[in-house]
Amino acid sequence: MTDKRTKIIQAEIGDDPAYGAVNPPLYLSSTYRFKSIDEKGPFDYGRTSNPNRHGLGRAVADLEGGAHGVVTATGMAAIDLVLNLFKADELILAPHDCYGGTHRLLTHRAEQGRLRVLFIDQNDAAAVSAALAQKPSLVIIETPSNPLMRLVDIKSLCAASKKVGALTMVDNTFLSPARQQPLALGADFVMHSTTKYLNGHSDVIGGVVVAKTAEHGERLAWWANCVGITGAPFDSYLTLRGMRTLFARMDVQEANAMAIAKFLHKHKKVERVYYPGLKSDPGYKLAKKQQSGPGAMLSFEVKGGFEQTKTVLEAVKLFQMAPSLGGVESLMCFPTTMTHGGMAPEARELAGIKDTLIRISVGLEAAEDLIEDLSASLSLI
Ligand SMILES: *Cc1c(COP(=O)(O)O)cnc(C)c1O
């Protein structure tokens, strides 16, 4: 088996039948000529299929070890695509501290009577078995969680879900296939906001769902075309281009994150650091087991209150104060008003997201520069 690092460089390379272009050309055409009245080529209409989107789906499926990848316009569309497989009376289990947009989507779909949803703490064994006893049809797993980097044991939750007949979907956005392989751990679907690590350059909004089986893959592709949420060709082109450096980016960003986590951990103005690469982190052991590295996302609580937190966030110079993650540049965000602003304050509190919490997406800058910037900002409080 060729290493995944080689596979992603080779993906779609040198296949151009027209001119022998090494890099896959961009196909913007919305429609494709039929060969005869009843014979079409591999592509017919751009919503249904497109060479760039197709190539990206295949490349991600290959990295995740799945049968088929369906590329969507956004990460949210990828999650919503999977929800199409279920009927209104079927129950969906989701983590109570999932991505704010996922929480909002599920909550509002449930309010409209389109599905039933139960949010639980997936690390509370009693809550998990009580919820599984209600025979859910889908269990959504997000690990590490956003923004508190809590880990869920994918293998054991997938096995327990399977026992009650539930399908499982893992949101692998925070680690990418370079660090976590949910399908190999028993999941049926893995999805990404490709906006984040897969594209890696903060210039595309996109999503993808990879199904373990061809049958599920076909159903997803059917729904994506039916609803019309397939991704754009140029976005797919850029995302595949970005993915070629995924492993190299992740190696450096992860090393930077480790250096920053250690610095923050020792800092007297920092209350707590959430990073599964630290021995003191509750997720450390599980991360060693199910991930091939701790990744490049971390969060920390500032000592003091909202004012001190605001000071740090507004003082940093190298970190851009912005939501999103996974790009080459370092970002710092305030989950309360940014990523988790769509969540009700009570839901946020229940999930443990405090007003002193800062989340960092560590980029490719020199670690020493990032640490110096953090050090200067923390010295102001
Ligand atoms: C960003 C994100 C999403 C949503 O993706 P979009 O591309 O913004 O629609 C879903 N899950 C996680 C974990 C995310 O970080």
Side-chain angles (χ1 to χ4, degrees):
M1 247 272 276
T2 313
D3 192 283
K4 289 189 194 307
R5 287 173 187 256
T6 308
K7 275 190 173 177
I8 191 55
I9 300 300
Q10 293 291 315
E12 309 298 308
I13 287 279
D15 290 340
D16 173 37
Y19 300 111
V22 170
N23 262 300
L26 171 60
Y27 291 90
L28 291 173
S29 184
S30 59
T31 188
Y32 296 81
R33 223 171 38 227
F34 274 59
K35 288 186 175 135
S36 66
I37 194 162
D38 55 0
E39 194 193 347
K40 59 176 190 173
F43 301 97
D44 53 5
Y45 181 58
R47 169 170 27 83
T48 320
S49 57
N50 165 277
N52 297 97
R53 195 192 307 133
H54 194 69
L56 173 62
R58 197 156 45 199
V60 184
D62 225 19
L63 287 189
E64 290 286 8
H68 194 71
V70 179
V71 174
T72 54
T74 69
M76 290 317 304
I79 296 172
D80 205 32
L81 174 61
V82 176
L83 299 181
N84 281 305
L85 302 181
F86 305 94
K87 297 194 175 78
D89 60 349
E90 291 185 89
L91 179 67
I92 317 277
L93 281 195
H96 70 152
D97 56 353
C98 61
Y99 174 68
T102 309
H103 199 280
R104 179 176 54 197
L105 173 68
L106 292 166
T107 304
H108 289 265
R109 284 263 188 265
E111 267 175 30
Q112 297 283 69
R114 305 270 205 98
L115 48 84
R116 291 193 299 130
V117 65
L118 189 58
F119 292 105
I120 56 161
D121 176 355
Q122 294 181 340
N123 278 313
D124 176 343
V128 170
S129 48
L132 289 177
Q134 295 189 44
K135 298 246 183 280
S137 297
L138 175 70
V139 176
I140 299 176
I141 300 169
E142 191 183 313
T143 177
S145 75
N146 179 10
L148 291 172
M149 312 302 295
R150 292 189 186 120
L151 268 61
V152 171
D153 190 326
I154 298 176
K155 201 172 179 178
S156 76
L157 187 50
C158 285
S161 303
K162 197 164 265 170
K163 266 195 192 145
V164 299
L167 293 171
T168 45
M169 175 179 83
V170 176
D171 183 336
N172 204 20
T173 300
F174 261 46
L175 285 173
S176 87
R179 287 296 179 269
Q180 185 164 265
Q181 303 273 316
L183 299 183
L185 296 169
D188 297 290
F189 303 102
V190 55
M191 63 71 51
H192 287 273
S193 163
T194 55
T195 312
K196 317 294 167 55
Y197 285 104
L198 292 186
N199 177 57
H201 294 75
S202 305
D203 52 9
V204 166
I205 298 281
V208 68
V209 186
V210 176
K212 191 177 200 160
T213 69
E215 190 225 326
H216 278 143
E218 272 166 37
R219 286 181 65 199
L220 288 175
W222 186 90
W223 273 108
N225 175 56
C226 173
V227 189
I229 52 170
T230 48
F234 189 45
D235 290 349
S236 302
Y237 174 92
L238 283 175
T239 304
L240 181 57
R241 183 184 194 268
M243 267 168 62
R244 301 205 190 277
T245 55
L246 171 68
F247 289 89
R249 281 187 278 115
M250 193 52 103
D251 288 350
V252 178
Q253 288 175 242
E254 185 177 68
N256 283 355
M258 185 59 111
I260 289 175
K262 284 182 174 160
F263 163 79
L264 291 171
H265 185 62
K266 284 190 308 218
H267 203 287
K268 58 183 190 306
K269 303 272 178 65
V270 172
E271 185 70 44
R272 188 171 168 183
V273 181
Y274 299 89
Y275 184 60
L278 292 177
K279 277 209 173 84
S280 56
D281 194 272
Y284 181 78
K285 265 198 181 148
L286 183 52
K288 284 264 178 224
K289 200 175 89 176
Q290 76 181 10
Q291 303 175 190
S292 51
M297 293 299 299
L298 61 95
S299 55
F300 67 102
E301 280 160 11
V302 171
K303 260 193 192 142
F306 173 71
E307 282 308 318
Q308 284 74 15
T309 314
K310 184 171 179 299
T311 301
V312 175
L313 275 156
E314 290 179 352
V316 285
K317 294 191 172 68
L318 290 178
F319 293 84
Q320 298 290 317
M321 186 169 47
S324 197
L325 60 118
V328 294
E329 72 293 324
S330 291
L331 301 176
M332 195 179 253
C333 98
F334 186 51
T336 301
T337 57
M338 299 182 188
T339 50
H340 290 64
M343 226 164 140
E346 311 78 60
R348 217 164 33 230
E349 199 179 305
L350 203 68
I353 302 164
K354 296 183 183 157
D355 286 353
T356 53
L357 187 76
I358 293 176
R359 190 189 78 181
I360 299 182
S361 169
V362 183
L364 280 176
E365 303 88 344
E368 310 81 71
D369 288 339
L370 295 173
I371 288 172
E372 197 180 293
D373 194 22
L374 281 169
S375 177
S377 309
L378 283 164
S379 72
L380 299 175
I381 61 170

